[in-house]
């Protein structure tokens, strides 16, 4: 027991619990974004292209997907955002997916089919997953519109993830 309730105690060195360090890091961690507009085909699911990295602590993001590095299995949280750029009034559907090993594990959508007046629109999706080494995570988009595209920029189309401390 150190100190009394309400005391402030400064610890120099590593705080341990039964010989193991207390705390941890949320790595691997990454944030990538679209640095140029991506042209899309209406009615076709496409992998979102991320051309720039804000950070990638373990160099685990490449070719538009995150792959769990050796020794880093565990629980992860991912967030993806997609903002469409379409002719005003022509957006009828916009779906965003997070996939694990090629299969959808989370999705969100906006649907303007009943009023046919959708314009540029953004959606965000967050999920938590239990991953094994070599599992890979991607973001995919499905859009129905005239001349659909994705905006570019770190605030519009991004994908971020990190391992949870366990």
């Amino acid at each position: 027991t150190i100190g009394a309730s309400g005391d402030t105690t400064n610890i120099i060195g590593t705080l341990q619990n039964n010989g193991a360090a207390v705390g941890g890091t949320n790595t691997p961690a990454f944030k990538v974004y679209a640095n140029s507009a991506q042209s899309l085909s209406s009615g076709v699911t496409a992998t979102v292209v991320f051309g720039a990295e804000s950070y990638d602590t373990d160099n685990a993001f490449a070719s538009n997907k995150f792959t769990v590095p050796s020794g880093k299995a565990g629980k992860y949280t991912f967030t993806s955002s997609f903002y469409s750029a379409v002719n005003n009034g022509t957006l009828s559907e916009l779906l965003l997916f997070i996939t694990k090993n090629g299969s959808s594990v989370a999705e969100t959508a906006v649907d303007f089919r009943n009023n046919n007046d959708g314009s540029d629109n953004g959606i965000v999706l967050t999920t938590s997953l239990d991953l094994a080494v070599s599992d890979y995570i991607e973001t995919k988009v499905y859009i129905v519109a005239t001349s659909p595209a994705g905006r570019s920029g770190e605030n519009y189309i991004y994908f971020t993830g990190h391992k949870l401390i366990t």
Side-chain angles (χ1 to χ4, degrees):
T1 303
I2 300 174
S5 178
D7 285 353
T8 299
T9 304
N10 293 322
I11 298 174
I12 299 171
T14 302
L15 183 61
Q16 296 186 345
N17 181 9
N18 291 325
V22 175
T25 60
N26 290 101
T27 59
F30 70 92
K31 181 180 183 187
V32 294
Y33 62 95
N35 61 348
S36 62
Q38 179 179 355
S39 293
L40 300 163
S41 296
S42 184
V44 176
T45 300
T47 299
V48 179
V49 175
F50 299 101
E53 290 184 349
S54 296
Y55 56 87
D56 183 2
T57 63
D58 291 52
N59 296 315
F61 193 92
S63 301
N64 300 308
K65 64 184 172 185
F66 168 79
T67 303
V68 178
S70 179
K72 302 290 183 157
K75 293 173 179 51
Y76 285 77
T77 294
F78 298 96
T79 298
S80 187
S81 171
F82 186 89
Y83 199 99
S84 67
V86 300
N87 293 336
N88 286 339
T90 68
L91 177 64
S92 62
E93 292 177 83
L94 176 61
L95 288 81
L96 182 65
F97 307 89
I98 292 178
T99 67
K100 174 183 173 184
N101 303 328
S103 298
S104 179
V105 290
E107 62 183 76
T108 190
V110 291
D111 187 338
F112 295 103
R113 287 179 289 182
N114 290 333
N115 58 12
N116 295 323
D117 64 358
S119 297
D120 292 356
N121 204 300
I123 53 179
V124 177
L125 176 61
T126 299
T127 191
S128 293
L129 300 169
D130 195 0
L131 301 177
V133 170
S134 298
D135 281 343
Y136 65 92
I137 307 301
E138 296 174 289
T139 298
K140 297 189 182 271
V141 64
Y142 174 87
I143 188 168
V144 176
T146 301
S147 302
R151 289 188 178 260
S152 64
E154 192 169 5
N155 296 328
Y156 291 108
I157 297 178
Y158 60 84
F159 185 30
T160 184
H162 64 272
K163 186 172 190 243
L164 299 172
I165 297 173
T166 54

